[in-house]
Amino acid sequence: MGLTTQQMIKWIQKANETIQENKAYLSDLDQAIGDGDHGFNMARGFEETAKKLSEGSYNEPADVLKDCSMTLISKVGGASGPLYGTAFLKMALALKGKEEIDYRSLSEAITAAADGIKQRGKAAEQEKTMIDVWSPVAYYMETQNEMDTEGFLRTAKQAMDRTKDMKAAKGRASYLRERSIGHLDPGSVSSYYVLSTLAQIIDEEEVSL
Ligand code: ADP
Ligand code: MG
């Protein structure tokens, strides 16, 4: 048994709830080292995405992720829109044709998402961007043979926290150079929400991967 289409929808709905709850916090983080719109951008994009998913009918998990991608690209302003859009598109492509998603496929999908963000953002690790959450989580999954949600959550949280000490080399925060140090990267915090809600759904639904 693996993750089903319905569980994919539940994941995105949970991600949306968490983002709505933390909208002001995400914007505050972006206010410190960017232009203060990240909470608004994410809240708008995920609200529209959750709405779209509640109205649509989907044959397989990849179709859900593809719809997320399209909605995020069209509704999220700012740099994060195309980056999240790419992440979801790459996951959809990696999972195409699978009725249910097993551990290895999920791991490959997260790696594809991380690679997609790197390509699209022309960025690498340690540049204080959302990549610094997606990549460590992808590496962690690659080293495991089954889903360990605790380890997954710990990895994602530590990765997010580590962005605080990094100096931004990409995106708006890079204009601040050294002054970006000491603040969490907003996109890494929203990525933590997106990935941690996946682990939460796996736990809640008692999916054994
Ligand atoms: P904008 O920077 O256009 O205002 P957002 O505030 O919505 O867009 O998103 C900012 C986040 O996007 C940053 O915190 C960072 O994680 C991510 N980001 C910005 N530029 C890049 C890039 N080139 N590669 C990867 N992630 C990036
Ligand atoms: Mg911004």
Side-chain angles (χ1 to χ4, degrees):
M1 294 294 280
L3 275 166
T4 62
T5 305
Q6 204 49 40
Q7 286 163 341
M8 282 286 147
I9 295 174
K10 285 190 180 169
W11 166 30
I12 302 307
Q13 282 164 347
K14 196 166 193 66
N16 176 45
E17 283 164 25
T18 306
I19 286 164
Q20 300 303 331
E21 284 162 14
N22 291 284
K23 177 179 170 181
Y25 173 57
L26 289 173
S27 281
D28 286 349
L29 291 173
D30 195 31
Q31 195 65 55
I33 57 170
D35 57 356
D37 63 353
H38 191 59
F40 175 82
N41 288 342
M42 293 298 291
R44 177 172 147 81
F46 275 80
E47 186 176 312
E48 291 289 338
T49 305
K51 186 161 158 251
K52 184 98 191 286
L53 296 187
S54 68
E55 291 161 356
S57 80
Y58 302 95
N59 287 326
E60 56 177 53
D63 296 342
V64 173
L65 299 173
K66 179 122 188 282
D67 229 3
C68 290
S69 166
M70 298 302 152
T71 315
L72 291 173
I73 289 171
S74 68
K75 302 289 178 188
V76 182
S80 55
L83 294 166
Y84 273 107
T86 302
F88 278 92
L89 183 64
K90 295 291 180 180
M91 287 193 271
L93 292 172
L95 298 172
K96 202 169 167 45
K98 297 186 201 295
E99 262 182 48
E100 289 194 6
I101 299 159
D102 59 18
Y103 182 78
R104 200 44 59 206
S105 306
L106 186 61
S107 167
E108 284 165 10
I110 304 269
T111 298
D115 290 344
I117 299 171
K118 281 185 201 163
Q119 250 175 15
R120 179 77 218 220
K122 298 189 177 61
E125 281 114 28
Q126 306 291 326
E127 293 188 318
K128 201 181 180 94
T129 71
M130 59 174 76
I131 290 169
D132 292 307
V133 166
W134 285 87
S135 276
V137 169
Y139 293 142
Y140 172 78
M141 288 192 82
E142 284 169 22
T143 63
Q144 307 290 308
N145 292 314
E146 56 181 27
M147 190 71 189
D148 166 4
T149 49
E150 247 175 65
F152 179 101
L153 286 168
R154 197 182 326 114
T155 304
K157 170 88 169 48
Q158 280 173 355
M160 171 185 80
D161 288 338
R162 282 196 187 111
T163 65
K164 192 164 183 173
D165 297 331
M166 292 178 189
K167 186 173 84 176
K170 288 281 157 28
R172 279 180 205 281
S174 65
Y175 308 150
L176 294 179
R177 300 167 196 268
E178 272 72 22
R179 279 182 293 136
S180 66
I181 298 171
H183 302 276
L184 287 170
D185 170 54
S188 295
V189 177
S190 60
S191 295
Y192 171 72
Y193 296 149
V194 170
L195 289 165
S196 61
T197 49
L198 173 62
Q200 283 168 23
I201 283 298
I202 291 171
D203 274 344
E204 272 176 36
E205 298 276 310
E206 296 178 16
V207 187
S208 68
L209 286 183

